[in-house]
Amino acid sequence: MITVGVIGAGRIGQLHIDNLALLPSVKIKSVADVYIDNIYDWAQQRDIVNITNNPMAIIQDPEIDAILICSPTTTHMELIKAAARAKKHIFCEKPITFSTTSTQEALTVVKEQGVKLQVGFNRRFDTNFRTIRNQIANGVIGTAHTLRITSRDPHPPPIEYVKTSGGLFMDMMIHDFDMARYVMQSDVVEVHAKGAVLIDEKIGEVGDVDTAIVLLTFANGSIGTIENSRQAVYGYDQRLEVFGELGALVVENNRPSNITHFSTEGVITDKPYHFFLERYRQAYIDEMKEFAAAIINNTDIVCTGNDGLQAERIAEAAKKSMQIGRPVSIS
Amino acid sequence: MITVGVIGAGRIGQLHIDNLALLPSVKIKSVADVYIDNIYDWAQQRDIVNITNNPMAIIQDPEIDAILICSPTTTHMELIKAAARAKKHIFCEKPITFSTTSTQEALTVVKEQGVKLQVGFNRRFDTNFRTIRNQIANGVIGTAHTLRITSRDPHPPPIEYVKTSGGLFMDMMIHDFDMARYVMQSDVVEVHAKGAVLIDEKIGEVGDVDTAIVLLTFANGSIGTIENSRQAVYGYDQRLEVFGELGALVVENNRPSNITHFSTEGVITDKPYHFFLERYRQAYIDEMKEFAAAIINNTDIVCTGNDGLQAERIAEAAKKSMQIGRPVSIS
Amino acid sequence: MITVGVIGAGRIGQLHIDNLALLPSVKIKSVADVYIDNIYDWAQQRDIVNITNNPMAIIQDPEIDAILICSPTTTHMELIKAAARAKKHIFCEKPITFSTTSTQEALTVVKEQGVKLQVGFNRRFDTNFRTIRNQIANGVIGTAHTLRITSRDPHPPPIEYVKTSGGLFMDMMIHDFDMARYVMQSDVVEVHAKGAVLIDEKIGEVGDVDTAIVLLTFANGSIGTIENSRQAVYGYDQRLEVFGELGALVVENNRPSNITHFSTEGVITDKPYHFFLERYRQAYIDEMKEFAAAIINNTDIVCTGNDGLQAERIAEAAKKSMQIGRPVSIS
Amino acid sequence: MITVGVIGAGRIGQLHIDNLALLPSVKIKSVADVYIDNIYDWAQQRDIVNITNNPMAIIQDPEIDAILICSPTTTHMELIKAAARAKKHIFCEKPITFSTTSTQEALTVVKEQGVKLQVGFNRRFDTNFRTIRNQIANGVIGTAHTLRITSRDPHPPPIEYVKTSGGLFMDMMIHDFDMARYVMQSDVVEVHAKGAVLIDEKIGEVGDVDTAIVLLTFANGSIGTIENSRQAVYGYDQRLEVFGELGALVVENNRPSNITHFSTEGVITDKPYHFFLERYRQAYIDEMKEFAAAIINNTDIVCTGNDGLQAERIAEAAKKSMQIGRPVSIS
């Protein structure tokens, strides 16, 4: 049995709280949010006894074993350091910080304090992606030669969010950078990024792109691409292909139903799930389940602080590559 | 908030208990089973305070609002009557009884006492089948002309079970008879059944069949077929097609993953889920959720005692048709 | 090299002529049709030297090795007998005649004269169906247990055609009766047919049905169904499934392209080919190729007069079964 | 009616000859090949009257309207110039030459002489790709944002061929460069190529790569990737996706049959066609049909000399990009 406190109760914080509530081995004692009035009723309905706008009140609570950090990215570094120093295990949403320097600073403290840190790469807990990784590890397609990740959102975030998001590579493609390392089981050594503003000019005006393709080179010699778009009108498009010596493995989209409609307009099946909350519903549950289990059983974390750091390094290199118009090496 | 007691804690009773435990509005107070020693530890871990081998102790408990009857079919009639007379709402596994006469006797008492009775046709709660029913009701394919249900188990039950199962039509195809009425939204008026022993001679020796096709005529003039097999080596095969004036709707199998493997052997996707517990995992959860909600909100039951009775009438007619080698009318 | 004459140059006769023209080993010398004016130009463009309204002029031409009979079914018996007596090999469109008695009379003459007779069951030459038959013969699914054939036309024929068509079982489902024997490699011993008028009342007024399901029992103990509809608004629906001891084999529809369209309306693929001319384009070519090859190399015919007769026997029994409302045995 | 001569009767030359033979409007009068002994019998069986080892004998024949150039790439420039000066229309296999300078020299003569030149980009004649291009032109997905082409051979060519092939970009990916321009209907302005030797070290030893990904930027602002592999063990993999404002269009592989096999090993469908001769069988026929029609009707050529030149320019840029490790602009 572990006792947990959650810092930041926006959409993703609330999602994690509801998923933790399904676990008999977890008690959610406290939640902190700057907008305490907004969440008061919500938290009370969930029997959370301690509702505060002061994160340190949670971090310093001796009854609490683990902290979930779901507040804005700019707050992550200080909260991680404080939580680690208070000997709390930590779950932190992605990215850890907006700069690899800050992330390294936070990770150093985590390491010194010997606490566990899990980063919120929820897709690692999806059955499809986990299975494909295991199949590759088991040699089902022999040596991997190429990777292709397609990852498209149904619509762009509000422009206010875009401004402070860290940019497409750090905010959105970071999931795919982690997935690339996860399925290929090799680090990325070079990245070449190409971005474009094709969906909404306002995204360009605030210095970001809405469409991008990144060409990756892996340490093991394989190569691959990631494509991101901020707007696929047909829903949340999450596909992946690894091609190798003995064949190829492809993850297709999950869909709400397995109904096929033969009509005068064609043969129609469901669109993909509309967005990440539906598509990764079970993955988010399993992410919390495995975080709790790793603490209770003192076992390894599925996605570590270093995984977070490596994804951020690729994101930084991609952003730089796009700016200078050339490939960038990652040492 | 309702308080529930469960009679019969075999595989399906335990499944329902675990699913009820996910509902904040349900308290499971008691469980009865003839093999009380087998379930004692299991039930205690679930904080069930009252573990008994006497069903009547549960039925007569004034704190209990609803009873789940998951004991063998031969016990259903007496338990339903007793529970109804004690003013408990009832969930009863399929079939209600092995004879429509007994079922009618039980339903008469249920009606007199004014309690709710839900029959365990779990497939009605599956997203695919519910969606297709709604699409048909909404006229997506206009008037329905034909129905096809394919329903195959991964392997036959033990021969001891077959002996007391009521036969393939009452034990297995009864789900499909209910599904036929559910999606076609019309009663069955004639049935012609053909059975065969193609998988295991022992099934024939105890007077049953392991393979069957039934040709159905509906009150609304449409026609259809149901095919059952006790053994599909590739897993639990659950498909359905309704064809009509404006097109066709097909439910394909659900599969554990959406991975496609391009190999020298062909292009391979997952087999269907292996059996009903995996295939209908969410449907079983929703079945309990809606049973509880119908009691709490005093709303209609999704599958009523009459639905149970009608499916049994078709099963009886199918058995008779197979025996006499001719179609049998259902008035 | 063989020389061929064609009797009946309607849609199907013209199709065969164009397909024969692709074969370097075949010379089409003559064509006969009652509407000679309609086809004169058409035939001349194809370098057919002899255009006549007298079939006997073709049958008695000593240069001609083989006759294609593509005239109305009512003319088949006399033409077959005459052609056989003139020692011509014969290709005859399905059905051979509208009565098994007449067909047997024609086949007796064919046998006496020792000529080859191929019946126009074009689907036997389709790659999908031929492959599935071979896979079953090779034991890919072990013993076959059940068969399902779905066969739907895009729209009903003109009511004038329906009147003289011989009825749905003899005109349309006869292809499926032959396919059933072809893939199951066993004769049909019992048939139970259910028909309905759901598409066009006029079809009912002339004594026919537009929708039908037939339940078949095979000599080898397996069972199956065939479903026919005269109108599938999405095109020509031609599917088949054989289920057995070691798995199942399913033929899905062929489609004009392999394009998938992800849209706001769903994920859309092509409808099936619109009708038999497109769907079985290559099968019709191969049907002629193999007919010519069987004559030139004196090898066995793929679908014989007996295959035609057996399909007609099933069609007759199906019609009778529908009329009397009971299964009918085929000795 | 046109009269044609063919220079080069290797695999592809023979294929074109057999396809031309299907066209009633084309007479093949002459064929030239350096290995005249090898093709003598083959050509005689096809009623080709003039079999020579001297291409100029064909080019200077006043009866001949059009020349097919299917000889090695190194011979193309001189043959094109000679044929154009003899006022013959020309079909030339891809690439036109190994250098854009030589290609331009040849095209200048073609232009001066006013003859038609069609380049052998057979995939433009494939139904799938042609349909998707038309759908994009018709606005089915609005503005195109990204392109992805997957193109994999079943096995590498002999190493002797690789040596003189011009390299993967000029020999293999040139088809995809043309396809990129064809479906996106926009020129490529920048290319960044990454290559690897992952299949056969010998390919690296002769200075080539066997695996490559190219990132393309189009004049209209869209971006895309092409992936090539010399060895996909499951067959010839030819897929394409265009994603845009209103959705996505995907071309999946064509397969020999539409059979699905439900087995204990999974649900298995056919591998793609094994190689280009099967996959593009109909496209090769239509390529010849449209070449002949363009001459007879004096209409536009589907893939012109300029299309050939542009694909070569991209291939040259890709090779340079791979060598210098940076994107290369195409003015």
Side-chain angles (χ1 to χ4, degrees):
Chain A
M1 192 79 190
I2 57 167
T3 303
V4 166
V6 177
I7 299 171
R11 182 172 60 177
I12 195 73
Q14 292 187 13
L15 173 75
H16 289 315
I17 286 169
D18 281 340
N19 287 339
L20 285 169
L22 299 172
L23 306 177
S25 59
V26 172
K27 177 176 154 41
I28 310 164
K29 182 181 175 189
S30 308
V31 60
D33 198 279
V34 288
Y35 303 107
I36 190 168
D37 294 345
N38 291 355
I39 63 151
Y40 201 84
D41 291 351
W42 183 91
Q44 276 214 317
Q45 282 162 17
R46 277 147 186 85
D47 294 327
I48 299 174
V49 293
N50 185 22
I51 305 163
T52 174
N53 60 9
N54 177 16
M56 292 312 291
I58 297 181
I59 289 173
Q60 285 155 2
D61 180 343
E63 278 186 7
I64 282 182
D65 302 300
I67 306 275
L68 267 67
I69 302 176
C70 307
S71 50
T73 304
T74 48
T75 69
H76 287 184
M77 183 176 71
E78 293 306 328
L79 290 170
I80 290 172
K81 290 198 289 185
R85 284 175 182 141
K87 298 289 183 194
K88 310 303 187 198
H89 299 297
I90 302 162
F91 173 91
C92 182
E93 268 304 326
K94 47 61 46 179
I96 301 178
T97 76
F98 285 136
S99 96
T100 52
T101 318
S102 302
T103 296
Q104 272 169 320
E105 189 179 326
L107 295 187
T108 301
V109 179
V110 167
K111 197 177 176 190
E112 284 165 5
Q113 301 299 328
V115 296
K116 291 179 192 295
L117 169 61
Q118 180 171 322
V119 177
F121 289 131
N122 57 292
R123 296 181 196 171
R124 287 194 178 214
F125 300 87
D126 176 78
T127 301
N128 291 304
F129 297 120
R130 180 167 286 191
T131 302
I132 217 174
R133 174 192 155 100
N134 290 341
Q135 289 174 327
I136 292 166
N138 293 335
V140 168
I141 56 164
T143 304
H145 292 176
T146 63
L147 165 74
R148 170 178 57 84
I149 296 178
T150 305
S151 177
R152 298 170 185 151
D153 281 353
H155 44 68
I159 200 74
E160 287 309 307
Y161 175 86
V162 173
K163 281 184 193 170
T164 63
S165 69
L168 180 138
F169 299 112
M170 191 61 89
D171 177 55
M172 179 179 176
M173 203 182 278
I174 195 161
H175 277 295
D176 305 299
F177 293 137
D178 181 62
M179 184 54 66
R181 293 181 64 245
Y182 178 67
V183 296
M184 297 300 272
Q185 294 153 63
S186 178
D187 275 312
V188 170
V189 295
E190 192 196 82
V191 58
H192 179 225
K194 194 86 199 176
V197 180
L198 300 171
I199 294 159
D200 186 349
E201 286 181 13
K202 289 202 203 74
I203 292 172
E205 288 163 12
V206 302
D208 203 354
V209 292
D210 54 33
T211 304
I213 300 179
V214 171
L215 206 167
L216 304 168
T217 308
F218 294 88
N220 64 11
S222 58
I223 52 182
T225 58
I226 298 171
E227 188 205 306
N228 271 192
S229 170
R230 285 289 194 186
Q231 182 173 292
V233 295
Y234 52 83
Y236 191 49
D237 194 347
Q238 299 279 292
R239 288 172 291 154
L240 183 150
E241 174 168 343
V242 184
F243 168 74
E245 191 186 3
L246 305 177
L249 290 164
V250 180
V251 175
E252 299 289 355
N253 283 305
N254 285 4
R255 302 171 303 168
S257 87
N258 272 327
I259 297 172
T260 303
H261 178 201
F262 289 71
S263 81
T264 53
E265 306 302 310
V267 177
I268 309 173
T269 55
D270 274 3
K271 290 182 283 186
Y273 280 110
H274 187 65
F275 211 2
F276 68 98
L277 295 178
E278 299 88 41
R279 169 65 181 83
Y280 291 116
R281 193 178 66 85
Q282 189 62 42
Y284 277 113
I285 293 171
D286 292 341
E287 185 182 44
M288 284 300 111
K289 209 176 272 181
E290 299 195 25
F291 175 60
I295 296 170
I296 291 166
N297 307 323
N298 193 21
T299 51
D300 284 350
I301 287 290
V302 171
C303 30
T304 65
N306 183 56
D307 291 322
L309 176 64
Q310 296 310 322
E312 290 168 21
R313 294 180 75 206
I314 307 172
E316 275 189 0
K319 190 173 182 181
K320 187 175 163 199
S321 166
M322 185 174 69
Q323 286 163 345
I324 65 176
R326 286 203 309 275
V328 169
S329 291
I330 302 171
S331 58
Chain B
M1 190 82 188
I2 56 168
T3 302
V4 168
V6 178
I7 298 171
R11 181 171 62 178
I12 195 73
Q14 292 186 14
L15 174 76
H16 289 317
I17 287 169
D18 280 339
N19 288 339
L20 286 169
L22 299 171
L23 306 177
S25 59
V26 173
K27 178 175 153 42
I28 311 163
K29 183 182 175 189
S30 307
V31 60
D33 199 278
V34 287
Y35 304 107
I36 190 168
D37 294 346
N38 292 355
I39 63 150
Y40 202 83
D41 290 352
W42 182 90
Q44 276 214 317
Q45 282 163 19
R46 277 148 185 85
D47 295 328
I48 299 174
V49 292
N50 185 22
I51 305 162
T52 174
N53 60 8
N54 176 14
M56 292 311 291
I58 296 180
I59 288 173
Q60 286 156 1
D61 181 345
E63 279 188 7
I64 281 182
D65 303 299
I67 305 275
L68 267 67
I69 302 176
C70 307
S71 49
T73 303
T74 48
T75 68
H76 286 184
M77 183 177 70
E78 293 305 328
L79 290 171
I80 289 171
K81 290 197 289 187
R85 285 173 181 141
K87 299 289 185 194
K88 309 303 186 198
H89 299 297
I90 301 162
F91 172 92
C92 182
E93 268 305 324
K94 45 62 50 182
I96 301 178
T97 76
F98 286 137
S99 96
T100 52
T101 317
S102 304
T103 295
Q104 272 169 320
E105 188 179 326
L107 295 187
T108 300
V109 180
V110 167
K111 196 175 177 190
E112 284 166 6
Q113 300 298 328
V115 296
K116 291 180 193 293
L117 169 60
Q118 181 171 323
V119 178
F121 289 131
N122 56 292
R123 297 182 196 171
R124 286 195 178 212
F125 301 87
D126 176 78
T127 301
N128 291 303
F129 297 119
R130 181 166 285 190
T131 303
I132 218 173
R133 174 190 154 100
N134 291 341
Q135 289 174 327
I136 291 166
N138 293 335
V140 168
I141 56 164
T143 305
H145 292 178
T146 64
L147 165 74
R148 169 178 57 83
I149 296 179
T150 305
S151 178
R152 299 170 184 151
D153 281 353
H155 44 68
I159 200 75
E160 288 309 308
Y161 175 88
V162 173
K163 281 183 194 170
T164 63
S165 68
L168 181 138
F169 299 113
M170 192 60 90
D171 177 54
M172 179 177 176
M173 203 181 279
I174 195 161
H175 277 294
D176 305 299
F177 292 138
D178 182 62
M179 183 54 65
R181 292 181 65 246
Y182 178 68
V183 297
M184 297 301 272
Q185 295 154 62
S186 178
D187 275 312
V188 170
V189 295
E190 191 195 81
V191 58
H192 178 227
K194 194 88 200 175
V197 180
L198 300 172
I199 294 158
D200 187 349
E201 287 181 11
K202 289 203 205 73
I203 292 172
E205 287 162 13
V206 301
D208 204 354
V209 292
D210 53 33
T211 304
I213 300 179
V214 171
L215 207 166
L216 304 167
T217 307
F218 294 89
N220 64 11
S222 58
I223 52 181
T225 58
I226 299 171
E227 187 206 307
N228 271 191
S229 170
R230 284 287 194 186
Q231 182 174 290
V233 295
Y234 51 83
Y236 191 48
D237 195 347
Q238 298 280 293
R239 288 173 289 153
L240 183 150
E241 174 167 344
V242 184
F243 168 74
E245 190 187 6
L246 306 177
L249 290 164
V250 180
V251 175
E252 300 288 356
N253 283 305
N254 285 5
R255 303 170 302 168
S257 87
N258 272 327
I259 297 172
T260 303
H261 178 200
F262 289 72
S263 81
T264 53
E265 306 303 310
V267 177
I268 309 173
T269 55
D270 274 3
K271 292 182 281 188
Y273 280 109
H274 187 63
F275 210 2
F276 68 97
L277 295 179
E278 299 89 42
R279 171 63 182 85
Y280 291 116
R281 193 178 65 85
Q282 189 62 44
Y284 278 113
I285 293 171
D286 292 341
E287 184 183 44
M288 284 301 110
K289 207 177 272 180
E290 299 195 26
F291 175 60
I295 296 170
I296 292 167
N297 308 322
N298 192 20
T299 50
D300 284 349
I301 286 291
V302 172
C303 31
T304 65
N306 183 54
D307 291 321
L309 176 65
Q310 296 310 322
E312 291 168 23
R313 295 180 74 205
I314 307 171
E316 275 188 0
K319 192 173 182 181
K320 186 174 164 201
S321 166
M322 184 176 70
Q323 286 163 346
I324 64 175
R326 287 204 310 275
V328 169
S329 291
I330 302 171
S331 58
Chain C
M1 193 80 189
I2 56 169
T3 302
V4 167
V6 178
I7 299 170
R11 182 171 60 175
I12 196 72
Q14 292 187 12
L15 174 74
H16 290 316
I17 287 169
D18 280 339
N19 289 338
L20 286 169
L22 299 171
L23 306 177
S25 59
V26 173
K27 178 176 155 43
I28 310 164
K29 182 181 175 190
S30 307
V31 59
D33 198 278
V34 287
Y35 304 108
I36 190 169
D37 294 346
N38 291 355
I39 62 151
Y40 201 84
D41 291 351
W42 182 91
Q44 277 214 318
Q45 282 161 19
R46 278 149 186 85
D47 294 327
I48 299 174
V49 292
N50 185 20
I51 305 162
T52 173
N53 60 7
N54 176 16
M56 292 312 290
I58 296 180
I59 287 173
Q60 285 155 1
D61 181 345
E63 278 186 9
I64 282 184
D65 302 298
I67 305 275
L68 267 67
I69 302 176
C70 307
S71 50
T73 304
T74 48
T75 67
H76 287 184
M77 184 176 70
E78 294 306 328
L79 290 171
I80 289 172
K81 291 197 288 187
R85 285 174 181 141
K87 299 289 185 194
K88 310 302 187 197
H89 300 296
I90 303 163
F91 172 91
C92 182
E93 267 305 325
K94 46 63 47 181
I96 301 179
T97 76
F98 285 137
S99 97
T100 52
T101 318
S102 303
T103 296
Q104 273 170 318
E105 188 179 326
L107 295 187
T108 301
V109 178
V110 167
K111 197 175 175 190
E112 284 165 5
Q113 300 298 327
V115 297
K116 292 181 192 292
L117 169 60
Q118 180 171 322
V119 178
F121 289 131
N122 57 292
R123 297 182 196 171
R124 287 194 178 213
F125 300 86
D126 177 77
T127 301
N128 291 303
F129 297 120
R130 180 167 286 191
T131 303
I132 218 173
R133 175 191 154 98
N134 290 342
Q135 289 175 328
I136 291 166
N138 293 334
V140 168
I141 56 164
T143 306
H145 292 177
T146 63
L147 166 74
R148 169 177 59 81
I149 296 178
T150 305
S151 177
R152 298 170 184 151
D153 280 353
H155 44 67
I159 200 74
E160 287 309 308
Y161 176 87
V162 172
K163 281 183 193 170
T164 62
S165 69
L168 181 137
F169 299 113
M170 191 61 89
D171 177 54
M172 178 179 177
M173 203 182 278
I174 195 161
H175 278 294
D176 305 298
F177 293 137
D178 181 61
M179 183 54 64
R181 292 181 65 247
Y182 178 67
V183 296
M184 299 299 272
Q185 293 152 65
S186 178
D187 274 312
V188 170
V189 295
E190 192 196 82
V191 59
H192 178 226
K194 193 87 200 176
V197 180
L198 300 171
I199 293 158
D200 187 350
E201 287 181 11
K202 289 202 205 73
I203 291 172
E205 288 162 12
V206 302
D208 203 353
V209 293
D210 53 34
T211 304
I213 300 180
V214 171
L215 208 167
L216 304 168
T217 306
F218 293 88
N220 64 12
S222 58
I223 52 182
T225 58
I226 298 170
E227 187 205 307
N228 271 190
S229 169
R230 284 288 194 186
Q231 182 173 291
V233 295
Y234 51 83
Y236 191 49
D237 195 346
Q238 297 281 292
R239 288 172 290 153
L240 182 151
E241 174 169 343
V242 184
F243 168 73
E245 191 186 5
L246 305 177
L249 290 165
V250 180
V251 175
E252 300 288 356
N253 283 306
N254 285 5
R255 303 171 301 168
S257 88
N258 273 326
I259 296 173
T260 303
H261 177 201
F262 289 72
S263 81
T264 54
E265 306 302 311
V267 176
I268 309 173
T269 54
D270 275 3
K271 290 183 281 187
Y273 280 109
H274 187 63
F275 211 1
F276 68 99
L277 295 179
E278 299 89 41
R279 169 65 180 84
Y280 291 116
R281 192 178 65 85
Q282 189 62 45
Y284 278 113
I285 294 171
D286 292 341
E287 185 183 43
M288 284 301 111
K289 208 178 272 181
E290 300 194 26
F291 174 61
I295 296 170
I296 292 167
N297 307 322
N298 192 20
T299 50
D300 284 350
I301 286 291
V302 172
C303 31
T304 64
N306 183 54
D307 291 322
L309 175 66
Q310 297 309 322
E312 290 168 23
R313 294 180 74 206
I314 307 172
E316 275 189 0
K319 192 172 182 182
K320 185 174 165 202
S321 166
M322 184 176 70
Q323 286 163 346
I324 65 175
R326 285 204 311 275
V328 169
S329 291
I330 303 171
S331 56
Chain D
M1 192 81 188
I2 56 168
T3 302
V4 167
V6 178
I7 300 171
R11 180 171 62 176
I12 196 73
Q14 292 187 11
L15 173 76
H16 289 315
I17 287 169
D18 280 339
N19 289 337
L20 285 169
L22 300 171
L23 306 177
S25 59
V26 173
K27 177 177 156 38
I28 309 165
K29 180 182 177 190
S30 308
V31 59
D33 198 279
V34 287
Y35 305 107
I36 190 168
D37 293 345
N38 292 354
I39 61 150
Y40 201 84
D41 290 352
W42 182 91
Q44 276 214 317
Q45 282 162 16
R46 278 148 186 84
D47 295 328
I48 299 174
V49 293
N50 185 21
I51 305 163
T52 173
N53 60 9
N54 176 17
M56 291 312 291
I58 297 181
I59 289 173
Q60 284 156 4
D61 180 344
E63 278 187 6
I64 282 183
D65 303 297
I67 306 275
L68 268 65
I69 302 176
C70 307
S71 50
T73 304
T74 48
T75 67
H76 287 183
M77 184 176 69
E78 293 307 328
L79 291 170
I80 290 172
K81 290 198 290 186
R85 284 176 181 139
K87 297 289 184 194
K88 310 302 187 198
H89 299 297
I90 303 162
F91 172 90
C92 182
E93 269 304 325
K94 45 63 48 183
I96 301 178
T97 76
F98 286 136
S99 98
T100 52
T101 317
S102 303
T103 296
Q104 273 169 319
E105 189 179 326
L107 296 187
T108 302
V109 179
V110 168
K111 196 175 177 191
E112 285 166 4
Q113 300 298 327
V115 296
K116 292 180 192 292
L117 169 60
Q118 181 171 323
V119 179
F121 289 130
N122 56 292
R123 297 182 195 171
R124 287 193 178 214
F125 300 87
D126 177 78
T127 301
N128 291 303
F129 297 119
R130 181 167 284 191
T131 303
I132 218 174
R133 174 191 154 101
N134 290 343
Q135 289 174 327
I136 292 166
N138 293 335
V140 169
I141 57 164
T143 305
H145 292 178
T146 63
L147 165 74
R148 169 178 58 83
I149 296 178
T150 306
S151 178
R152 298 170 184 152
D153 281 352
H155 44 69
I159 201 73
E160 287 309 308
Y161 176 86
V162 172
K163 280 183 194 170
T164 63
S165 68
L168 181 138
F169 300 112
M170 192 61 88
D171 177 55
M172 178 179 176
M173 202 180 279
I174 196 161
H175 277 295
D176 305 299
F177 293 136
D178 181 61
M179 183 55 65
R181 293 181 65 246
Y182 178 68
V183 296
M184 298 300 271
Q185 294 152 64
S186 178
D187 275 311
V188 170
V189 295
E190 192 196 81
V191 59
H192 178 225
K194 194 86 200 176
V197 181
L198 300 172
I199 293 158
D200 186 349
E201 286 182 12
K202 287 201 206 76
I203 292 172
E205 287 162 13
V206 301
D208 203 354
V209 293
D210 52 35
T211 304
I213 300 179
V214 170
L215 206 167
L216 304 168
T217 307
F218 293 89
N220 64 10
S222 57
I223 52 182
T225 58
I226 299 170
E227 189 207 305
N228 271 191
S229 170
R230 284 288 194 184
Q231 183 173 292
V233 295
Y234 51 83
Y236 192 48
D237 194 347
Q238 297 280 293
R239 288 173 289 152
L240 183 150
E241 173 168 345
V242 183
F243 168 74
E245 192 186 4
L246 305 177
L249 290 165
V250 180
V251 175
E252 301 288 356
N253 283 305
N254 286 6
R255 304 171 301 168
S257 87
N258 272 328
I259 297 173
T260 303
H261 177 201
F262 289 70
S263 80
T264 54
E265 307 301 311
V267 177
I268 309 173
T269 54
D270 275 3
K271 291 183 282 186
Y273 280 108
H274 187 64
F275 210 2
F276 68 97
L277 294 179
E278 299 90 41
R279 169 66 180 85
Y280 291 116
R281 192 178 65 86
Q282 188 64 43
Y284 278 113
I285 293 171
D286 292 342
E287 184 182 44
M288 283 302 110
K289 208 177 272 180
E290 299 195 25
F291 175 61
I295 296 170
I296 292 167
N297 308 322
N298 192 20
T299 52
D300 284 349
I301 287 290
V302 172
C303 31
T304 65
N306 183 54
D307 292 320
L309 176 65
Q310 297 308 323
E312 290 167 22
R313 294 180 74 205
I314 307 170
E316 275 189 0
K319 190 173 184 183
K320 186 174 165 201
S321 166
M322 184 175 69
Q323 285 164 346
I324 66 175
R326 286 203 311 274
V328 169
S329 291
I330 302 170
S331 56

